[in-house]
């Protein structure tokens, strides 16, 4: 192998805490991967490729694990806890119903996400609305639906939401999104005084305090509390402690000055998952207990009763529950500078169905899905069919050197930010989403067709 020495995809091993495969993935004696009791060959034949496959039992179990872990960890902390599923990771009517049935609320960021959650029958009070640039129409829809909270992201939005609420004659429950200076993701977190990014209101710069004062001055707004989301794919929970302490201190300081203790604090989402099998991410139980400890200690230090806590996991609920099936097309050996070779394996999708590799240098792995091969492993790169050299799905993986046109490849851990960030680049119809459970498959989002694309073109 070359200097990169890529690893083969780990075989499905549900007992392994680091596995990137969902809980029901197995490789059969015939070498074919199965998920939800269905061989992927049958799924590919019936629904075509590329195909997003969601493991319903796995997804539901993750949602339930978060609900149970937070319920239990915060049971003796006065305020309790709510878990909101961050719908931007992937939202469909069925998924909204499942996670709500398993005990989660739903965070939405746009009118579209709100529409799907409402279509699913999720009650308004179990829905939150986020976003750094909400339209009046989105705010109005949220208030008419009776959402449990709108998270305010700017000073201007304080006035905007108050004005819409006044027009509708309702009181808007709001939180204020605060940037604490903590950025986290991967294994590191850093704390800086200022943040040069678009979200939230700076704690250090005084903008958060100004917005909280402005909210308090508007009778149309009901201030629930403060909110912080520090990043994504976070494996080290230390960053949450810094952010939580900052929010709880702000809450105590305001209570001292105004006599009013905000009832809620939201600590955001961003819990990491295993994409390639080399990390064991924190479990919902570990996350919930770590956060409960932080809140308990910080509130004791501050001498304030604990607030009701909420969190917003997205990828940790849906990411590991999904895999993408691709059909292999062109296979091309490419000679590298060091004389080694890399096998470029083109699949029938690419950056249109998974932009994360190109956008964030995200790491994935891939495995032969329709048979087992005993051929020697070679360094390989799984690429798409788009007109970009950055159109990479899996940057480095070791694949058998007989991988050939017609083979099926499975890329695990694509349940989050795959379909939800998909595009029609190169006028490729977006793949469908199929849920599997107990040997049954069901289409959640149907595959787009060229007719769908042509129907939008007014000629
Ligand atoms: C994206 C986002 C989340 C969810 O992030 P994950 O990494 O999917 O858990 C939660 N809260 C807010 C405000 C977000 O922007």
């Amino acid at each position: 192998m070359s200097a990169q020495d890529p690893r083969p995809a780990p075989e499905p091993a549900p007992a392994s805490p680091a596995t990137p495969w969902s809980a029901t993935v197995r490789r059969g004696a015939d070498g074919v991967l199965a998920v939800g009791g269905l061989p992927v060959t049958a799924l590919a034949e019936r629904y075509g490729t590329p195909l997003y496959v969601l493991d319903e039992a796995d997804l539901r179990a993750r949602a339930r694990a978060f609900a149970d872990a937070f319920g239990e960890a915060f049971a003796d902390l006065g305020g309790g806890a709510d878990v909101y599923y961050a719908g931007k990771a992937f939202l469909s009517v069925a998924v909204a119903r499942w996670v709500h049935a398993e005990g989660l609320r739903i965070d939405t960021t746009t009118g579209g996400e709100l529409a799907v959650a409402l279509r699913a029958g999720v009650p308004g009070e179990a829905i939150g609305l986020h976003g750094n640039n909400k339209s009046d129409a989105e705010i109005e829809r949220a208030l008419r639906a009776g959402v449990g909270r709108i998270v305010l992201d700017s000073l201007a939005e304080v006035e905007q939401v108050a004005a819409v609420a006044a027009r509708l004659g309702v009181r808007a429950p709001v939180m204020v999104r605060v940037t604490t200076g903590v950025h986290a993701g991967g294994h590191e977190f850093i704390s800086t005084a200022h943040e040069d990014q678009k979200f939230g209101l700076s704690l250090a710069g005084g903008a958060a305090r100004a917005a909280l004062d402005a909210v308090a001055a508007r009778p149309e707004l009901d201030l629930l509390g403060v909110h912080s989301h520090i990043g994504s794919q976070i494996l080290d929970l230390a960053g949450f402690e810094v952010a939580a302490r900052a929010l709880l201190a702000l809450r105590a300081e305001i209570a001292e000055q105004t006599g009013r203790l905000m009832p809620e604090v939201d600590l955001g989402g961003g819990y990491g998952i295993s994409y390639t099998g080399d990390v064991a991410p924190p479990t919902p139980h570990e996350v919930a207990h770590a956060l409960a400890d932080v809140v308990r200690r910080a509130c004791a230090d501050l001498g304030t009763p604990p607030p009701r806590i909420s969190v917003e996991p997205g990828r940790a609920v849906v990411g590991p529950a999904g895999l993408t099936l691709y059909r292999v097309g062109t296979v091309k050996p490419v000679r590298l500078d060091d004389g080694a070779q890399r096998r470029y394996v083109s699949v029938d999708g690419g950056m249109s169905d998974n932009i994360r590799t190109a956008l964030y240098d995200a790491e994935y792995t891939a495995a032969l899905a329709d048979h087992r091969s005993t051929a020697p492993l070679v360094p390989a790169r799984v690429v798409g069919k788009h007109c970009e050299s950055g159109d990479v799905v899996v940057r480095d993986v070791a694949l058998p050197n007989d991988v050939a046109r017609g083979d099926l490849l499975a890329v695990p851990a694509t349940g989050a930010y795959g379909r939800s960030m998909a595009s029609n680049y190169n006028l490729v119809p977006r793949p469908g989403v199929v849920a599997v459970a107990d040997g049954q498959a069901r289409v959640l989002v149907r595959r787009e067709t060229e007719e769908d694309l042509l129907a939008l073109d007014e000629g």
Side-chain angles (χ1 to χ4, degrees):
M1 288 211 211
S2 80
Q4 285 89 13
D5 200 21
R7 280 155 304 142
E11 278 296 298
S16 154
T19 184
W21 300 99
S22 67
T24 72
V25 175
R26 301 282 184 278
R27 194 182 286 278
D30 55 359
V32 179
L33 281 189
V35 52
L38 288 170
V40 296
T41 42
L43 292 169
E45 191 167 316
R46 180 151 164 215
Y47 301 106
T49 55
L51 183 68
Y52 299 107
V53 183
L54 268 186
D55 184 338
E56 178 181 346
D58 181 282
L59 193 163
R60 282 180 177 263
R62 287 176 203 278
R64 172 58 58 189
F66 271 107
D68 288 351
F70 275 85
E72 182 222 322
F74 284 85
D76 65 345
L77 259 175
D82 294 309
V83 182
Y84 284 74
Y85 169 60
K88 71 181 193 201
F90 175 68
L91 202 61
S92 74
V93 167
V95 166
R97 286 188 182 137
W98 295 343
V99 299
H100 185 245
E102 299 299 339
L104 306 191
R105 298 174 176 226
I106 298 190
D107 238 338
T108 62
T109 315
T110 60
E113 290 176 11
L114 184 58
V116 171
L118 292 171
R119 172 71 61 85
V122 178
E125 68 263 24
I127 300 176
L129 180 68
H130 259 287
N132 69 302
N133 184 22
K134 304 172 190 76
S135 68
D136 283 356
E138 286 170 327
I139 293 164
E140 175 166 344
R141 219 147 133 212
L143 291 177
R144 284 192 190 281
V147 296
R149 54 153 84 158
I150 295 179
V151 181
L152 302 174
D153 201 85
S154 65
L155 195 54
E157 210 170 71
V158 176
E159 299 309 315
Q160 191 191 5
V161 173
V164 177
R167 178 155 55 75
L168 299 180
V170 298
R171 207 149 177 252
V174 298
M175 300 187 95
V176 170
R177 181 162 175 178
V178 174
T179 47
T180 57
V182 182
H183 291 288
H187 297 270
E188 298 290 326
F189 80 91
I190 51 166
S191 190
T192 57
H194 296 284
E195 296 186 51
D196 192 2
Q197 50 90 15
K198 71 174 183 173
F199 290 113
L201 290 137
S202 163
L203 186 58
R209 190 57 209 264
L212 288 161
D213 291 344
V215 170
R218 298 298 301 245
E220 305 88 349
L221 303 179
D222 176 18
L223 179 60
L224 298 180
V226 282
H227 174 288
S228 146
H229 173 70
I230 59 174
S232 276
Q233 187 53 17
I234 300 166
L235 295 163
D236 174 356
L237 301 176
F240 289 107
E241 168 150 14
V242 180
R245 281 193 173 269
L247 293 192
L248 292 166
L250 172 67
R251 172 174 175 264
E253 177 195 311
I254 290 173
E256 204 157 281
Q257 291 164 5
T258 66
R260 188 170 178 276
L261 191 61
M262 293 182 281
E264 297 191 28
V265 168
D266 189 302
L267 300 177
Y271 316 129
I273 65 170
S274 173
Y275 282 101
T276 59
D278 56 0
V279 295
T283 63
H285 182 88
E286 287 164 351
V287 171
H289 282 270
L291 295 185
D293 279 351
V294 168
V295 172
R296 184 179 290 109
R297 280 187 281 113
C299 286
D301 293 348
L302 292 162
T304 49
R308 185 163 187 87
I309 291 292
S310 49
V311 293
E312 306 166 338
R315 91 186 54 222
V317 175
V318 73
L323 62 79
T324 309
L325 282 180
Y326 297 102
R327 186 77 68 181
V328 172
T330 303
V331 178
K332 186 191 285 184
V334 172
R335 210 180 142 79
L336 307 178
D337 287 344
D338 63 3
Q341 253 192 22
R342 195 192 320 276
R343 203 67 56 93
Y344 274 74
V345 178
S346 296
V347 295
D348 51 357
M351 64 193 298
S352 56
D353 59 74
N354 187 347
I355 190 71
R356 294 190 65 259
T357 308
L359 195 57
Y360 311 123
D361 272 331
E363 290 187 3
Y364 286 92
T365 188
L368 263 187
D370 59 342
H371 67 281
R372 196 185 268 118
S373 168
T374 53
L377 297 172
V378 291
R381 182 162 289 171
V382 180
V383 298
K385 61 183 290 169
H386 296 281
C387 302
E388 295 272 340
S389 52
D391 173 25
V392 174
V393 179
V394 183
R395 196 167 302 283
D396 287 302
V397 62
L399 289 175
N401 77 1
D402 62 353
V403 61
R405 177 177 290 276
D407 289 350
L408 275 181
L409 280 188
V411 175
T414 58
Y417 307 108
R419 183 61 176 78
S420 73
M421 295 180 101
S423 78
N424 290 123
Y425 181 41
N426 287 134
L427 289 179
V428 168
R430 288 174 297 177
V433 183
V434 166
V436 292
D438 301 323
Q440 302 290 320
R442 167 182 160 208
V443 176
L444 301 191
V445 181
R446 86 162 160 76
R447 172 184 301 286
E448 279 178 341
T449 63
E450 284 175 11
E451 278 309 310
D452 290 323
L453 302 182
L454 287 167
L456 296 172
D457 189 322
E458 300 278 5

